[in-house]
Structure formats: structure tokens, C-alpha cells
Amino acid sequence: RVLTPFEEEYQKLKANRRIVWKLSVGTVELELEFSNKTVVFSVSPIHASIISLFETKDEWTLSEMSKELEMTEDSVLSKLQFWLSSGIIYLSNTNNINSSGKNNQSYKVVNEIGETNVSSIVEEESDMETDSLQQPQNNVCEKFILGILSSYSELPLERIHNLLKMFITDPPYTQTAEELQNLLSLLVRNGVVECRGGKYSKK
């Protein structure tokens, strides 16, 4: 959803084409403005998508970010750790926590940034390297996912993950739930799969 405006503008220019986003590949250069300084740095598209949410409103819960980015809460929290450890985002509310201990926690962006924050903004590239290595299996997974969803009306991420472990054996299925989430999100954006209420179905 965060990238939808770009997709819409691109389709106006190229009516018969569409953008396919690979959120774990490449880097995005961002310029963040704080009350005391402006900082420019490079991060992965996923991390850029998370921080860009705070341009639309000041405070986000984990469940809201999960829904907006079409990612699992665990995946969002994993990527959010980068911004938390850098001191760019902070946990603003811990008083309204549900049974899972995280869904209703609120996050905000700091007003001022210190020198320690600036020097710590270094994005690891291991996710991008892993994604490029996983591309051949992504192609295999996509075929199995569409086959599975042809047999079921709708399935949650965990169920699809377990079925892929069962069916993909040569070579064995090695993707994590987070990597599968990224692939499913790509299929959703490409209009191949739908996601409603955390469950996926074939279009």
C-alpha cells in the first residue's frame, strides 16, 4: 500500500506494464529531517517502507503496520529492530498490551537525533544476498503455492509454510516464514493472490 502511488503513476505512463517490487533487493536512499539536523542514508526497501509510514501519521501500532505493509507482525517487528536499535524509532506506549504482548504497542519517530544515532545507521546486506540466492526456489515455491491455493479456498501463512515443507523435497524447502511472507506479498501486489484477514487465496 505504501508503494501504491508509485504503481499508479507508472501505469499512467506505461498502460500495458506494471511494477514488480522486490522488497528485499536493492537499496533506497532516504533523507530524514529531524528538529536538529537532516540525515541521509541507504537502507533496504522494506526498512524504507516502514519508516515512510510515519509520514502519514505520527504513531503506529505493530498490528497497524502489519496490515498496511501486508507482512506478518513478526516480520515487521524483525525489520523494526533496525530502527529501534538506531534510536530513530522508539516504543511510545507499553500500557495497552494484548495477550500476545505486542500488538497494541505504539511506535513513534524521535524529534531529535544525536551523533550516536547517525553513526549507527548501517544497514546489513545479508538479507539482500540471501534473497538473490533464494530466487530459484522462489520460482518453484510460486508454482506450488498456486497449486495449493487451487485446492483450498484460503489458507494462513503458517499452513502454506507447512505444506511447502511437505511437498518441496528435491531440493528441500529451506525458506523461512519471513521469506515466504515476502514472496506472498509480491504475489498479492502482482494480482495473482489475495490476502484477507491474514488468509491467502488464489485470484
Side-chain angles (χ1 to χ4, degrees):
R1 295 179 183 179
V2 175
L3 300 174
T4 298
F6 297 98
E7 296 174 1
E8 293 175 347
E9 289 301 317
Y10 183 82
Q11 287 178 350
K12 290 178 183 178
L13 297 173
K14 305 287 185 178
N16 297 323
R17 298 183 181 182
R18 65 184 178 188
I19 297 177
V20 177
W21 300 101
K22 295 186 176 181
L23 296 183
S24 295
V25 178
T27 58
V28 177
E29 186 173 281
L30 296 177
E31 185 176 280
L32 290 186
E33 295 184 6
F34 299 91
S35 61
N36 59 332
K37 66 181 67 178
T38 298
V39 184
V40 179
F41 56 96
S42 295
V43 294
S44 71
I46 294 177
H47 290 86
S49 296
I50 290 175
I51 198 67
S52 68
L53 291 176
F54 293 88
E55 292 182 336
T56 59
K57 69 175 185 175
D58 294 335
E59 192 167 351
W60 288 81
T61 66
L62 187 62
S63 59
E64 288 173 338
M65 286 187 278
S66 172
K67 188 176 297 183
E68 187 72 15
L69 296 170
E70 297 179 346
M71 296 170 60
T72 65
E73 291 181 10
D74 287 339
S75 295
V76 174
L77 185 59
S78 173
K79 299 302 180 183
L80 193 62
Q81 291 304 317
F82 170 73
W83 295 113
L84 289 167
S85 63
S86 298
I88 305 300
I89 291 177
Y90 67 98
L91 187 60
S92 64
N93 173 27
T94 58
N95 297 323
N96 189 20
I97 300 175
N98 67 6
S99 58
S100 69
K102 58 188 179 183
N103 290 19
N104 293 334
Q105 294 177 337
S106 299
Y107 297 86
K108 300 180 76 172
V109 173
V110 298
N111 292 320
E112 292 188 3
I113 183 171
E115 293 299 329
T116 54
N117 298 129
V118 177
S119 62
S120 66
I121 303 175
V122 180
E123 169 67 299
E124 295 182 1
E125 297 181 354
S126 59
D127 287 346
M128 292 179 284
E129 294 171 357
T130 300
D131 185 83
S132 63
L133 293 174
Q134 289 289 345
Q135 188 58 43
Q137 188 169 81
N138 278 349
N139 296 333
V140 174
C141 286
E142 180 177 344
K143 294 178 181 178
F144 274 92
I145 288 170
L146 296 180
I148 289 170
L149 294 180
S150 295
S151 302
Y152 296 87
S153 58
E154 58 180 18
L155 288 173
L157 172 69
E158 183 179 358
R159 178 64 173 151
I160 296 173
H161 191 45
N162 290 333
L163 287 172
L164 291 176
K165 288 180 183 178
M166 184 185 306
F167 293 132
I168 303 178
T169 58
D170 186 23
Y173 175 74
T174 58
Q175 290 199 2
T176 64
E178 180 180 342
E179 289 167 342
L180 175 59
Q181 172 68 59
N182 292 337
L183 176 57
L184 286 168
S185 295
L186 177 62
L187 295 179
V188 169
R189 286 190 294 275
N190 288 347
V192 180
V193 170
E194 288 183 311
C195 181
R196 294 181 180 178
K199 294 185 178 181
Y200 297 88
S201 60
K202 187 177 178 180
K203 271 195 172 181

